[in-house]
């Protein structure tokens, strides 16, 4: 039996904060602070030594989950114009050498086998004399493997598991900026994340808080997060990871142009099952075979082909929702602007997933450990 949505919880600030025993909403709201602190930590750690370097390859190493999804966003932003290959992986490629730059995200847990693999990757990268940027706590297996042979960017804002995406994104962005691959302003990104955290915070009502509204729209549905462009598709993948981690919701993430590869889902949307019937009675009507799909069209880029693709999707599926930024301050094309949009939309998806998880009780939180009730694999 699926969890029952407590819709009223999202408009009752007191109850919402009481339900958030571990402070996950407060942790997510530190996104801007995470970016500022990581940017400063990178400067202090000597990220400037990468200036002027022309790498043979940029390798983004991260464990599965939010870290890998963040690496995917960075790669999607860079790949169209990057003069070198951008590789997203969980291990160090055997061809690594002194001409390569490696960005590694880790959490320093000795109990997580994924972090043991990350530590092995760090060890291989530094032994092959690659330029390594390591973001994560100053202790743990990965930090020990670096042993002073990497640019170690220790996070200065503590966050709960699964909510350190802004830290990882900032580390990747500042590295790409130093390499001349991405023109992005860390302070501008932090400001935009602060704005989003305020707009979608626990106090505004659901009809004005974008993350709350999104949570309610995808509740009791199978979310289809389909991106209109490369970066949007990567953000959609991040959203699917967030929904699974924070709300126990299985979502499908892909590009709109790949919808032809899932004909059964597209057929259900064409049949109108993505919209709620005003005559449906959740108590008397028989339950469907599964939650109906809810299409969310994710848009990051602002070029003409992307906008046309989004408009075509809206015409074909009028019940579809859109996930985009309508702020004129961010209007216009360019990888730097896209980097800001991607970061803000990723935070909105994190918050939506957290609200959905709190409103359904689908994912419990242990206030004594600040971790989800599901233990890590290998614990």
């Amino acid at each position: 039996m699926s969890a029952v949505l407590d819709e009223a919880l999202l408009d009752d600030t007191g109850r919402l904060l009481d339900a958030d025993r571990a402070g996950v909403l407060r942790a997510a709201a530190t996104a801007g602070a995470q970016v500022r602190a990581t940017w400063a930590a990178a400067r202090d750690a000597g990220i400037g030594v990468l200036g002027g370097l022309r790498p043979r390859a940029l390798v983004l190493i991260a464990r599965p989950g939010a870290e890998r999804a963040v690496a995917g966003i960075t790669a999607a932003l860079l790949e169209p114009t990057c003069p070198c290959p951008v590789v997203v992986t969980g291990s160090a490629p055997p061809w690594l050498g002194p001409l390569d730059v490696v960005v590694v995200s880790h959490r320093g847990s000795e109990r997580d086998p994924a972090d043991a693999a990350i530590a092995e990757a760090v060890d291989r990268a530094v032994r092959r004399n690659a330029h390594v940027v390591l973001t994560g706590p100053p202790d743990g297996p990965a930090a020990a493997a670096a042993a002073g042979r990497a640019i170690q960017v220790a996070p200065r804002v503590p966050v709960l598991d699964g909510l350190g995406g802004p830290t990882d994104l900032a580390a990747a962005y500042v590295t790409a900026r130093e390499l001349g691959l991405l023109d992005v302003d860390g302070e501008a990104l932090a400001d935009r994340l602060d704005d989003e955290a305020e707009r979608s915070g626990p106090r505004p009502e659901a009809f004005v808080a974008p993350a709350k509204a999104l949570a309610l729209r995808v509740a009791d549905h199978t979310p289809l997060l389909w991106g209109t462009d490369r970066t949007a598709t990567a953000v959609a993948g991040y959203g699917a990871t967030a929904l699974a981690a924070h709300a126990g919701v299985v979502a499908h993430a892909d590009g709109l142009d790949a919808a032809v590869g899932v004909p059964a889902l597209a057929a259900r949307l064409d049949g109108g099952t993505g919209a709620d019937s005003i005559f449906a009675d959740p108590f008397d009507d028989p339950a469907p075979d599964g939650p109906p799909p809810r299409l969310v069209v994710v848009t990051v880029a602002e070029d003409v082909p992307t906008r046309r693709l989004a408009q075509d999707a809206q015409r074909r599926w009028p019940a579809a929702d859109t996930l985009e930024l309508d702020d004129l301050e961010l209007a216009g094309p360019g990888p730097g602007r896209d980097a800001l949009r991607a970061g803000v939309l990723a935070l909105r998806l994190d918050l939506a997933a957290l609200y959905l998880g709190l409103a359904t009780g689908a994912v419990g939180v242990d206030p004594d450990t600040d971790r989800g009730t599901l233990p890590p694999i290998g614990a």
Side-chain angles (χ1 to χ4, degrees):
M1 182 176 180
S2 61
V4 177
L5 176 73
D6 184 359
E7 184 173 340
L9 177 71
L10 299 187
D11 279 331
D12 189 327
T13 304
R15 286 185 59 217
L16 182 59
L17 294 177
D18 287 342
D20 184 12
R21 298 187 302 276
V24 291
L25 295 176
R26 188 166 55 250
T30 66
Q34 289 183 54
V35 169
R36 289 189 187 89
T38 302
W39 219 270
R43 288 197 303 267
D44 294 345
I47 196 76
V49 301
L50 299 180
L53 186 66
R54 294 295 175 262
R56 179 182 63 170
L58 176 61
V59 181
L60 308 175
I61 299 179
R63 65 179 185 175
E67 291 93 340
R68 189 78 59 85
V70 166
I73 292 174
T74 305
L77 284 163
L78 296 177
E79 284 172 347
T81 57
C82 188
C84 66
V86 182
V87 180
V88 176
T89 179
S91 60
W95 43 261
L96 273 181
L99 300 178
D100 303 310
V101 174
V102 180
V103 181
V104 184
S105 299
H106 81 105
R107 289 293 173 264
S109 170
E110 297 182 359
R111 302 172 61 193
D112 192 337
D115 274 327
I118 293 297
E120 182 180 346
V122 171
D123 180 65
R124 173 180 287 184
V126 296
R127 281 191 292 105
R128 292 179 176 273
N129 295 316
H131 301 270
V132 178
V133 178
L134 178 64
T135 176
D139 51 11
R149 294 175 291 175
I151 301 171
Q152 296 203 38
V153 183
R156 298 173 176 177
V157 177
V159 293
L160 305 182
D161 281 354
L163 295 175
T167 292
D168 297 326
L169 195 66
Y173 278 9
V174 71
T175 301
R177 179 182 173 86
E178 288 299 327
L179 293 171
L181 303 177
L182 184 65
D183 183 14
V184 60
D185 186 332
E187 188 61 33
L189 174 60
D191 288 344
R192 299 305 308 178
L193 292 175
D194 285 343
D195 291 343
E196 180 64 26
E198 184 174 355
R199 288 183 64 200
S200 287
R203 286 173 175 76
E205 295 181 326
F207 71 92
V208 295
K212 288 184 179 180
L214 179 60
L216 292 176
R217 290 292 289 169
V218 300
D220 301 320
H221 290 76
T222 297
L224 309 183
L225 308 177
W226 290 356
T228 56
D229 54 89
R230 184 192 299 262
T231 305
T233 301
V235 171
Y238 180 91
T241 299
L243 286 167
H246 307 314
V249 171
V250 177
H252 179 266
D254 213 329
L256 262 173
D257 55 354
V260 294
V262 285
L265 283 177
R268 291 191 71 187
L269 288 174
D270 288 336
T273 55
D276 296 322
S277 170
I278 60 174
F279 302 107
D281 188 327
F283 299 101
D284 294 337
D285 291 349
D289 294 336
R294 171 78 73 193
L295 175 59
V296 179
V297 178
V298 185
T299 299
V300 171
E302 287 291 323
D303 55 89
V304 173
T306 296
R307 301 307 305 172
R308 185 176 297 120
L309 187 60
Q311 292 166 2
D312 290 344
Q314 287 291 339
R315 280 193 290 268
R316 179 175 178 182
W317 298 299
D321 290 288
T322 59
L323 181 61
E324 61 182 352
L325 295 183
D326 55 4
D327 191 334
L328 295 178
E329 190 175 328
L330 287 180
R337 297 291 180 87
D338 288 354
L340 298 184
R341 291 192 191 94
V344 174
L345 292 181
L347 174 59
R348 186 174 299 178
L349 285 161
D350 264 337
L351 287 167
L354 290 171
Y355 284 128
L356 188 56
L358 289 169
T360 60
V363 177
V365 177
D366 182 350
D368 295 327
T369 63
D370 285 347
R371 297 179 65 92
T373 54
L374 294 177
I377 296 174

